[in-house]
Amino acid sequence: MSTVDLTPALTSPRSLALTRERIALVTEAARRAGVYLAGAAHRPVAPTPAAVAALDVFRRPLQDGRIDAREVLAELDAFGSPATVAQSMGRYFGFVNGGVDNAAAAAAVLAGQWDQNAALPVMSPTAAALDEVAAGWVVDLLGLPATATATFTAGATLANLTGIIAGRDALLARAGWDVHQRGLFGAPPLRIVTGEECHASALKALRLAGLGVDRVERVATDAYGAIDPAAFPADTDALTLVVLQAGNVNTGASDPFEAIIPGVRERGGWVHIDGAFGMWAQASPALRHQVAGVQLADSWGTDAHKWLNVPYDSGIAIVRERADLERAMSMQAAYLAAADERPAIHLGLQMSQRARGVETWAMLASNGRSGVADLVERTCAHARAFADALSAAGADVLAPVALNQVLVAFGEAPGGRGDDAVTAAVIDASQAEGTMWAGGTVWKGRRAMRISVSDQATTADDVRVSVEALLACWERARG
């Protein structure tokens, strides 16, 4: 406890005024957020064209003088709130965007005022403790090796990049090449192997890691996007980095980990799994067979802001052996020296970083194992209900529902093969109609709608009214 008398500083007119102003503003912001939430469920999922056009009010030259903070907040609410996408109200099914768990949402409000830099434990003991606990819970919940270390990132792309760099440097270190000292110029070439359906974010991570995408070997996949194990090369070696996938972004299917990983690792290679959303099937006793063998890999990347319903942004990188993670990510400077057990700057790409572990801790503390399992199973059940209802109405469901992804096309008549033009018309019409929102994709050369059920707020009623809206849009598109 400080022995310095802080009363004069804390009670100075300026200090008191700043504190009172901030408290008033934060309270007003919370009130406005509550009003926004109360109304968001009753508005179209996507903003109206008028609301989007009104955003031009923000596109102005920066003025010379100050504007009262209350006016700034009011303007932000008046023009920003109507132009948001209501993605956490139960009927947004685009891009595998998760909703927001209540405990995580509340924690984000409090953590925003804490404004902690989680780079070093000395900067924020609270952030460090919650980061450590949440990371450990994630490893345990996902059934990964007890040796594994998890670290929070800005999203799965950076989580994948973290794991891929760790793998790159570990493979080269085993070959006698120190990337930290010598860089990549002249290094032994790595062989990169992945599936035809490798997600664009994993390919971006490979490119950012200096492993150009033109050098990537793409292995054939089956009808649902999972690697065909018979097509996977049996001659991988100790300079091979393999990138597999848990949860195809279109179908939800996962690569056959048990058939691929043991051989790769026995021959000295490294396996990274892009599990942005699919990894969370591990949390469900009823669904973990979909990702059987995922724990056998060397590194993993996933998101908390997708299926776990933690606020944006929050990815998680996990590496089996902490030494491999620290080899790739640690940094040294005299003023950063720390004897702490878990300095975040040595575990990830960022130095300064927000305390992302706070919201994940709150979500997991509130829901527990059974709550996370229920979230995963319930949203998957909603996805199956979508597919069943649309199929019964004559739409063309293009793949069995493996997890929470539904892939559907619409034909010129019920019961027929999906038609690209009709499907595109249904997608456009449903997005404009506003009851629900789902995006388009191309699957095996065919135009399709992709429905991702990732929001904890989605109910059976949301599925019902969304299906009704889609069928009405389809009828108009045919007529």
Side-chain angles (χ1 to χ4, degrees):
M1 181 68 67
S2 173
T3 58
V4 178
D5 183 6
L6 300 178
T7 303
L10 295 175
T11 58
S12 69
R14 176 171 173 76
S15 176
L16 287 172
L18 289 174
T19 301
R20 288 168 179 160
E21 179 184 10
R22 184 174 180 183
I23 291 171
L25 282 167
V26 171
T27 302
E28 174 64 8
R31 184 193 68 80
R32 289 179 179 274
V35 172
Y36 170 80
L37 286 174
H42 304 287
R43 48 159 276 195
V45 175
T48 65
V52 174
L55 292 173
D56 282 341
V57 72
F58 297 129
R59 300 182 175 99
R60 60 182 185 249
L62 180 64
Q63 77 283 352
D64 292 329
R66 292 176 57 85
I67 297 177
D68 187 276
R70 290 168 295 183
E71 295 180 30
V72 171
L73 179 63
E75 182 182 38
L76 185 65
D77 186 23
F79 296 98
S81 292
T84 59
V85 174
Q87 71 172 45
S88 59
M89 296 293 114
R91 287 177 283 107
Y92 184 82
F93 307 109
F95 302 104
V96 206
N97 283 5
V100 185
D101 172 80
N102 286 348
V109 173
L110 182 58
Q113 291 310 303
W114 287 353
D115 189 32
Q116 300 292 280
N117 184 344
L120 291 170
V122 71
M123 292 179 175
S124 176
T126 293
L130 294 172
D131 179 284
E132 176 187 0
V133 173
W137 283 352
V138 167
V139 169
D140 181 45
L141 190 61
L142 294 177
L144 301 181
T147 59
T149 296
T151 185
F152 291 92
T153 73
T157 302
L158 291 188
N160 286 331
L161 177 60
T162 302
I164 287 169
I165 290 176
R168 178 199 71 186
D169 290 7
L171 291 174
L172 291 175
R174 296 170 195 168
W177 186 274
D178 186 338
V179 174
H180 176 72
Q181 296 294 337
R182 305 175 70 182
L184 294 177
F185 295 105
L190 296 182
R191 181 183 183 184
I192 314 299
V193 183
T194 189
E196 286 179 337
E197 286 292 323
C198 180
H199 192 268
S201 65
L203 293 175
K204 180 177 181 178
L206 286 167
R207 173 170 59 83
L208 292 174
L211 308 171
V213 295
D214 284 347
R215 300 181 62 250
V216 176
E217 297 178 34
R218 307 292 285 271
V219 182
T221 55
D222 62 21
Y224 310 121
I227 287 177
D228 177 0
F232 194 86
D235 61 345
T236 59
D237 58 20
L239 286 173
T240 302
L241 192 156
V242 175
V243 178
L244 302 179
Q245 182 172 234
N248 180 283
V249 75
N250 287 305
T251 68
S254 296
D255 290 329
F257 306 127
E258 291 179 315
I260 293 174
I261 296 176
V264 174
R265 297 193 71 227
E266 286 169 8
R267 293 185 289 271
W270 181 285
V271 178
H272 174 79
I273 294 179
D274 169 18
F277 69 94
M279 283 279 292
W280 293 101
Q282 270 282 88
S284 162
L287 293 167
R288 62 173 59 121
H289 66 278
Q290 294 279 358
V291 291
V294 73
Q295 76 281 0
L296 301 174
D298 297 282
S299 60
W300 306 261
T302 189
D303 272 319
H305 60 227
K306 285 188 170 68
W307 220 346
L308 203 59
N309 279 238
V310 166
Y312 280 87
D313 55 9
S314 186
I316 308 170
I318 310 168
V319 178
R320 175 181 288 269
E321 301 296 338
R322 179 164 167 171
D324 291 327
L325 181 60
E326 289 188 334
R327 177 194 294 110
M329 297 293 146
S330 64
M331 56 188 298
Q332 303 300 325
Y335 77 100
L336 296 176
D340 299 300
E341 176 64 23
R342 189 185 159 86
I345 59 170
H346 298 324
L347 303 178
L349 293 160
Q350 290 181 253
M351 185 175 171
S352 294
Q353 53 194 283
R354 97 181 163 81
R356 291 188 177 90
V358 175
E359 295 100 334
T360 296
W361 176 88
M363 190 281 174
L364 296 178
S366 174
N367 288 273
R369 292 180 187 276
S370 62
V372 176
D374 176 69
L375 168 63
V376 171
E377 292 165 11
R378 178 163 32 91
T379 47
C380 288
H382 289 324
R384 292 192 296 272
F386 255 118
D388 290 346
L390 291 171
S391 179
D396 189 4
V397 177
L398 303 182
V401 175
L403 292 174
N404 62 334
Q405 305 294 101
V406 182
L407 199 63
V408 61
F410 299 90
E412 294 181 348
R417 176 183 170 89
D419 177 85
D420 285 0
V422 174
T423 299
V426 173
I427 293 170
D428 291 344
S430 63
Q431 291 177 356
E433 191 269 343
T435 296
M436 55 87 73
W437 200 100
T441 188
V442 175
W443 176 249
K444 305 295 185 182
R446 299 175 61 188
R447 184 70 169 163
M449 171 182 278
R450 189 186 65 163
I451 301 170
S452 176
V453 190
S454 311
D455 184 1
Q456 54 86 34
T458 299
T459 66
D461 284 339
D462 288 317
V463 175
R464 176 182 56 78
V465 299
S466 296
V467 168
E468 291 173 355
L470 282 176
L471 295 180
C473 290
W474 186 21
E475 184 175 356
R476 289 194 296 272
R478 299 197 311 268

